[in-house]
Amino acid sequence: MSLHAEQFFTTVLPHHLDGSVVGDVLYAQAPDQGIRLAIDFYETIHQHTYGGLRLSVIHPETGRLDTAILSFADHGTYRARDLRNGTRPGTSGYATIRDFPRDENHRPWAGGDFTTLADAVHRYARVWGIPAPEPAARRAPRTAAPVAAPSPVRGAAARAR
């Protein structure tokens, strides 16, 4: 594989986690807990085609505690590239990267916007006690969803409409 994982995890993914890249995997560790976070590219059912990042939390004694897949499609990573190329959801190549043998300078992940994906990685890491930067400033302020009033029937909550 020539995914250039070290370059991706240390320079491309915004506000990278402190850790070490071994092969194609970034390993970060929670202080004083022994828990490790392993992040690598998630391969789709098509060989050499990747659809996102796989995050695995590993305990040194009990093994894997949790795994999450963060897809490029769900985080809009390649939205601009796919619009420019006319690639639509559900078609081959949409929101994926391919690692076919090419020249040494080829970076399959080039052209992506990793801001939203990086925020999701950092939220996941913080849940497990792994130091991660705070999310980037939001583009638009969030508004609170309306809270349903209690129902007079047995104190159950009313359905929001």
Side-chain angles (χ1 to χ4, degrees):
M1 258 188 277
S2 60
L3 286 170
H4 304 280
E6 185 166 8
Q7 183 182 9
F8 175 80
F9 289 121
T10 59
T11 62
V12 176
L13 194 64
H15 314 293
H16 68 277
L17 295 169
D18 288 329
S20 298
V21 177
V22 179
D24 288 329
V25 182
L26 169 72
Y27 293 95
Q29 185 169 348
D32 303 326
Q33 295 181 29
I35 294 174
R36 292 173 183 86
L37 175 63
I39 306 173
D40 63 339
F41 290 96
Y42 175 71
E43 193 167 12
T44 66
I45 61 171
H46 302 286
Q47 187 176 17
H48 302 291
T49 303
Y50 302 87
L53 298 178
R54 175 182 25 234
L55 292 74
S56 298
V57 177
I58 304 165
H59 189 276
E61 294 173 11
T62 58
R64 185 164 297 174
L65 300 176
D66 190 54
T67 298
I69 303 297
L70 302 179
S71 75
F72 296 139
D74 290 346
H75 293 90
T77 305
Y78 290 104
R79 182 176 295 133
R81 178 200 69 184
D82 291 343
L83 284 172
R84 188 174 53 250
N85 294 340
T87 309
R88 303 232 186 296
T91 61
S92 178
Y94 177 76
T96 60
I97 58 173
R98 293 188 176 124
D99 181 30
F100 295 118
R102 295 187 182 173
D103 65 75
E104 185 56 33
N105 295 323
H106 171 71
R107 303 296 186 260
W109 33 259
D113 177 3
F114 298 97
T115 308
T116 306
L117 183 66
D119 287 348
V121 168
H122 298 146
R123 281 192 311 272
Y124 184 83
R126 283 192 300 275
V127 164
W128 291 96
I130 297 166
E134 288 299 318
R138 301 282 179 216
R139 289 175 180 79
R142 289 186 167 189
T143 59
V147 178
S151 171
V153 181
R154 296 188 205 152
R159 264 192 267 177
R161 292 184 181 218

